[in-house]
Amino acid sequence: MTKFVLIYFILPLFLACKSIKNDDLIITNAKVLNIKTGEIKNNQTILISNGYIEEIESSSNSFQGKQYIDAKGQLVSPSFIDTHIHPTDVLGDYEKAPIALNKDSLNHYRQKISNEYLPYGTTTVLTMGQPEKWLTPLLEWQKSANPNYIDFYISGGALISKENRVPYIAHTEIATAKKAKQKILEYYNLGIRHLKLYYRLKEPEFSVAVKTADSLKMKVYGHIGDFSPEYLTIKKTLKIGLTNYEHLATIPNSVIISDVDKAKVYKQFKDNFGEINSESKLLDFFLEQYRFIDENKKPEIENLIKNLSDKKVTISTTIHRLYEQIAATYFTNKKDTTLTPKQLKRLTENFAIMMKYAKMMQENGIKIRLGSDMPNGGKVNISELIILAKYGFNIIDIFRISSYNGAEAIGIENQTGSIEKGKKADLILWSKNPFDNYENFNSKIIIIKDGKVYKKMNAQPD
């Protein structure tokens, strides 16, 4: 037999066995969601090695692995990315929070925070402020990915200007423009590549912070929006160069800017809801502002949305807490019982108006991303996906909001946020398909973190 005949017989055998090596995990018979195109491919096999996707095959070849999951035709999607969390929401605010994260309890703290997110499909988070004394251990967590823990990206303390009051523990005061530059350089030298600016950071500190961070190629995020004229609006910060914003509810503060309009909206709220004398009333006020804009300032908000789109802006959601005011969510029932039926009806209409403009932003190319910003963040994220669907967002856009948009905003889209060869194997296998019914966002899921099937760990001190 000539060598050519041998090649003729051996080559097909070699090709059929090209993936016989041991993969760590093989998922077969899967519907795989392409987050970029929206296409779903049936009967796919996902090969995972060393925490990464090695291949996505549609062939019927036999593969050898250490662990197999038969998806049985169910959907596999990217896991969730939460771009706005505070570790203090889990470990305690003000007097309840530890001054520093004790070295002997670091695994306990890391597991406790992870348990708020991982069981519900959120595998990656971006912190938006924490006590500076926590930064060293948090940065160590950022460097050391582990299948049992969420992936952390750290932004340092939320920066504010010097004030005559005791700052919140997750805020960091900046007294001068010089101090602003020094602080950004300090963060950068620590290994921090993300920066959070709070609305109480004034000029010239704000511009210096953005310029310094930009020169270092750091990602900058801003919670912008307050009625006080001393604070910056979205329009002003857009000119400075900020393009990542926090919370859909803050948008009206950059439309209602004249003293006359401010007086009108305050009176409108007081006539319908009373004084702003609690956190609950403040949330009601955020929503009432959207009604005021819808009735009086449509050209202005449409122009702002155009500007945001032109600048390729991203903005986080944080809508669960607002929705809780008007209705039960899938895991809470905190509806504001102080509201009269008339007030509840008006507030429900106001929430729908906000969501109408949120959808307008998304349709105009503004990248909306998931941002829970409260305790029970993993559950909140699922709740937000359901709420988005209830108010008209299509399922593929919701999946993008929950994964790829966040990855882009953090700057890790080449590593995660979609199911592609060479990317991290952070996946969700759905028992019921959200494309069939958005309530299925609350169905049972199998979570793959760093290529391993996630099983919740206890958060007991070492």
Side-chain angles (χ1 to χ4, degrees):
M1 186 178 291
T2 68
K3 64 179 181 179
F4 297 107
V5 175
L6 283 172
I7 291 172
Y8 179 79
F9 283 102
I10 293 172
L11 183 60
L13 181 62
F14 169 77
L15 291 173
C17 298
K18 64 185 177 75
S19 294
I20 289 298
K21 76 180 193 64
N22 274 340
D23 290 290
D24 293 326
L25 176 63
I26 297 175
I27 304 173
T28 61
N29 301 318
K31 289 183 177 179
V32 175
L33 174 62
N34 185 322
I35 205 73
K36 295 178 180 178
T37 67
E39 180 185 9
I40 297 175
K41 286 190 175 181
N42 297 322
N43 301 316
Q44 299 294 290
T45 298
I46 306 173
L47 309 177
I48 298 169
S49 288
N50 299 316
Y52 289 84
I53 298 170
E54 183 180 272
E55 201 66 69
I56 305 168
E57 296 270 359
S58 56
S59 69
S60 58
N61 291 341
S62 295
F63 302 102
Q64 184 174 334
K66 298 174 184 176
Q67 185 178 5
Y68 296 84
I69 296 177
D70 184 352
K72 299 179 180 178
Q74 299 296 342
L75 180 71
V76 177
S77 75
S79 59
F80 304 147
I81 298 173
D82 190 334
T83 64
H84 193 126
I85 82 154
H86 296 280
T88 47
D89 284 336
V90 182
L91 302 184
D93 286 341
Y94 295 101
E95 71 277 359
K96 294 182 180 179
I99 296 173
L101 302 183
N102 189 294
K103 186 175 182 180
D104 293 337
S105 298
L106 288 181
N107 288 344
H108 162 69
Y109 290 134
R110 190 177 184 183
Q111 193 67 69
K112 187 173 182 180
I113 297 172
S114 295
N115 285 351
E116 292 282 308
Y117 296 92
L118 263 177
Y120 311 99
T122 297
T123 60
T124 303
V125 300
L126 173 64
T127 72
M128 283 291 176
Q130 59 277 305
E132 289 202 324
K133 289 184 178 180
W134 295 13
L135 288 179
T136 297
L138 291 180
L139 285 166
E140 286 301 315
W141 297 352
Q142 178 175 307
K143 295 174 188 175
S144 56
N146 186 300
N148 296 322
Y149 305 128
I150 52 174
D151 289 338
F152 282 88
Y153 289 87
I154 312 302
S155 70
L159 302 188
I160 62 173
S161 293
K162 184 71 175 176
E163 299 178 331
N164 293 322
R165 56 176 164 175
V166 177
Y168 171 61
I169 57 172
H171 292 167
T172 297
E173 287 187 327
I174 303 296
T176 65
K178 182 179 179 180
K179 293 289 186 182
K181 184 174 183 177
Q182 290 174 347
K183 178 58 66 176
I184 309 311
L185 291 171
E186 175 192 329
Y187 280 168
Y188 184 84
N189 290 332
L190 284 173
I192 293 172
R193 297 295 181 264
H194 303 85
L195 184 67
K196 163 71 180 295
L197 309 181
Y198 201 49
Y199 74 87
R200 282 159 35 203
L201 185 68
K202 305 173 188 175
E203 287 285 49
E205 294 85 17
F206 195 102
S207 290
V208 170
V210 172
K211 182 179 180 180
T212 305
D214 185 63
S215 70
L216 297 169
K217 294 182 168 49
M218 296 171 72
K219 292 277 189 177
V220 187
Y221 312 82
H223 175 157
I224 308 300
D226 186 86
F227 267 2
S228 302
E230 60 186 312
Y231 298 125
L232 298 171
T233 63
I234 289 176
K235 289 181 180 178
K236 290 179 180 178
T237 56
L238 274 174
K239 292 179 180 178
I240 293 169
L242 186 66
T243 56
N244 296 304
Y245 291 87
E246 303 308 310
H247 317 313
L248 289 165
T250 64
I251 293 293
N253 287 332
S254 288
V255 177
I256 306 169
I257 53 178
S258 73
D259 290 340
V260 172
D261 285 338
K262 290 174 185 178
K264 285 180 179 178
V265 75
Y266 272 127
K267 183 178 185 305
Q268 180 173 304
F269 182 81
K270 185 176 180 180
D271 290 345
N272 288 279
F273 293 97
E275 298 288 348
I276 305 174
N277 54 13
S278 66
E279 180 184 354
S280 182
K281 289 296 183 185
L282 181 60
L283 295 175
D284 295 345
F285 181 67
F286 285 146
L287 294 177
E288 184 69 23
Q289 290 180 96
Y290 267 102
R291 178 185 287 266
F292 181 84
I293 287 171
D294 196 52
E295 293 174 347
N296 302 282
K297 295 285 181 180
K298 277 187 178 180
E300 288 86 348
I301 193 169
E302 289 171 357
N303 184 59
L304 176 60
I305 289 172
K306 183 181 183 303
N307 289 340
L308 296 175
S309 176
D310 290 344
K311 296 291 185 179
K312 295 180 171 52
V313 154
T314 80
I315 187 164
S316 64
T317 50
T318 321
I319 57 176
H320 168 92
R321 183 65 188 92
L322 293 162
Y323 187 79
E324 279 187 319
Q325 294 287 101
I326 62 173
T329 72
Y330 89 94
F331 79 102
T332 62
N333 189 6
K334 296 182 179 179
K335 187 172 71 173
D336 187 350
T337 56
T338 68
L339 297 172
T340 66
K342 183 178 179 181
Q343 289 173 331
L344 179 59
K345 180 177 182 294
R346 184 179 182 91
L347 198 62
T348 302
E349 292 169 351
N350 291 351
F351 187 88
I353 293 170
M354 181 186 74
M355 295 306 293
K356 176 182 73 174
Y357 284 108
K359 198 163 187 299
M360 185 184 297
M361 292 177 213
Q362 184 267 327
E363 290 171 347
N364 279 273
I366 296 167
K367 296 287 183 71
I368 298 175
R369 50 190 164 83
L370 210 53
S372 60
D373 190 26
M374 63 182 297
N376 298 303
K379 291 181 180 179
V380 168
N381 288 335
I382 292 174
S383 178
E384 296 217 344
L385 305 188
I386 294 171
I387 294 166
L388 287 166
K390 281 184 176 180
Y391 285 86
F393 283 74
N394 65 50
I395 301 301
I396 183 57
D397 285 330
I398 294 171
F399 271 117
R400 289 184 183 121
I401 288 167
S402 71
S403 58
Y404 194 75
N405 288 2
E408 279 191 316
I410 296 173
I412 55 173
E413 70 274 17
N414 292 329
Q415 305 168 42
T416 189
S418 58
I419 304 176
E420 297 180 77
K421 180 179 179 179
K423 289 196 174 183
K424 288 191 66 173
D426 291 348
L427 312 169
I428 297 175
L429 172 58
W430 298 84
S431 63
K432 296 181 180 179
N433 193 334
F435 283 94
D436 296 336
N437 184 333
Y438 67 75
E439 296 288 352
N440 290 340
F441 277 119
N442 187 32
S443 64
K444 291 182 179 180
I445 55 177
I446 294 174
I447 299 127
I448 312 296
K449 170 68 169 66
D450 292 336
K452 296 188 181 299
V453 177
Y454 170 75
K455 294 181 180 178
K456 186 175 180 180
M457 306 285 286
N458 291 328
Q460 297 298 324
D462 295 342

